[in-house]
């Protein structure tokens, strides 16, 4: 069944071959075969044709304190061998020196001209003000230069190729973990397919 699906399965579809409570993508299945059957002697390669949809990895830099994280995220993505572009959306408060640093590290940038919270009665108290520019993630849905993006928070480090995430339907996101707060049972906006 695995080989039939690898040969005849369609991109962006999930298949279930044994357990009605689970599903997997073709790329996940190929990796499982490479690992479990070929004992990692073969490598699964994701080849995205140049005439395919325009994909992009995107992060948001809402505070200069996250600059080292953006640089590390970009580097970790490059080291996975991805051919998909990476772009950093910068909130309006990010200064030219920080943007120059991103360019020095060969990171494409897009600076927002305004914030989602402009003219809204949002708290500026010290314990909540850092969340204000986080709402700029809502601008991700306006990124018309991409057919699909995978958004990654700037505090993430990618250890292996994750291009398969572009096979997931938009809107996909990971579930929020609740070890910090038992009420966090909804989505985590730190990784989203849009």
């Amino acid at each position: 069944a695995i080989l039939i699906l690898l040969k005849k399965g369609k991109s962006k579809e999930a298949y279930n071959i044994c357990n009605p409570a689970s599903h997997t993508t073709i790329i996940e299945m190929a990796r499982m075969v490479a690992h479990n059957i070929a004992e990692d002697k073969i490598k699964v390669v994701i080849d995205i044709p140049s005439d395919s949809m325009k994909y992009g990895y995107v992060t948001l830099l809402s505070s200069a304190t996250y600059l080292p994280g953006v640089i590390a995220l970009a580097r970790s993505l490059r080291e996975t061998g991805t051919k998909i572009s990476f772009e950093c959306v910068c909130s309006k408060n990010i200064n030219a020196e920080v943007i120059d640093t991103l360019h020095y590290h060969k990171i494409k940038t897009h600076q927002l001209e305004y914030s989602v919270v402009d003219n809204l009665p949002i708290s500026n108290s010290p314990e909540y003000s850092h969340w204000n520019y986080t709402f700029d993630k809502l601008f991700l849905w306006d990124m018309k230069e991409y057919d699909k993006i995978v958004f990654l928070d700037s505090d993430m480090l990618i250890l292996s190729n994750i291009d398969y995430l572009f096979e997931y339907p938009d809107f996909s996101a990971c579930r929020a973990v609740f070890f910090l707060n038992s009420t966090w049972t909804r989505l985590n906006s730190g990784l989203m397919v849009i």
Side-chain angles (χ1 to χ4, degrees):
I2 292 172
L3 294 176
I4 290 170
L5 287 177
L6 288 174
K7 184 173 180 172
K8 296 184 178 184
K10 295 179 182 171
S11 179
K12 301 180 185 172
E13 289 189 7
Y15 297 91
N16 181 340
I17 59 170
C18 62
N19 182 349
S22 69
H23 69 277
T24 189
T25 65
I26 293 172
I27 192 69
E28 290 167 337
M29 205 171 296
R31 286 188 175 133
M32 186 269 304
V33 169
H35 177 72
N36 294 336
I37 297 174
E39 298 174 338
D40 293 321
K41 292 177 185 165
I42 60 173
K43 182 179 178 182
V44 176
V45 177
I46 302 168
D47 185 22
I48 300 174
S50 59
D51 63 343
S52 67
M53 293 175 63
K54 177 73 172 146
Y55 293 148
Y57 287 108
V58 177
T59 194
L60 172 69
L61 182 59
S62 58
S63 166
T65 58
Y66 284 99
L67 176 62
V70 172
I71 294 167
L73 173 61
R75 182 176 180 187
S76 69
L77 270 171
R78 285 186 199 119
E79 289 180 1
T80 69
T82 186
K83 304 277 190 269
I84 298 172
S85 67
F86 174 73
E87 182 171 350
C88 179
V89 174
C90 300
S91 294
K92 73 174 189 175
N93 62 311
I94 302 300
N95 66 40
E97 183 180 340
V98 171
I99 291 175
D100 288 345
T101 301
L102 291 167
H103 292 165
Y104 173 80
H105 289 279
K106 300 184 179 10
I107 298 172
K108 181 180 173 186
T109 62
H110 171 80
Q111 184 153 29
L112 299 173
E113 295 177 20
Y114 53 93
S115 175
V116 170
V117 298
D118 284 350
N119 303 316
L120 292 178
I122 301 254
S123 171
N124 284 320
S125 66
E127 62 240 305
Y128 296 111
S129 63
H130 68 282
W131 290 103
N132 285 352
Y133 290 111
T134 301
F135 291 108
D136 287 345
K137 289 180 183 180
L138 293 171
F139 286 119
L140 297 172
W141 278 266
D142 281 341
M143 297 188 77
K144 303 299 182 206
E145 61 270 32
Y146 298 107
D147 295 312
K148 187 178 274 192
I149 67 170
V150 169
F151 174 82
L152 302 166
D153 262 349
S154 58
D155 59 356
M156 291 188 164
L157 187 66
I158 308 304
L159 301 178
S160 62
N161 190 295
I162 57 172
D163 290 349
Y164 65 91
L165 292 175
F166 289 96
E167 293 182 25
Y168 283 83
D170 50 312
F171 171 74
S172 295
C174 60
R175 186 171 172 239
V177 294
F178 52 86
F179 66 90
L180 296 175
N181 184 335
S182 63
T183 64
W184 289 3
T185 58
R186 300 209 168 94
L187 75 86
N188 178 339
S189 66
L191 190 156
M192 301 183 286
V193 178
I194 302 170

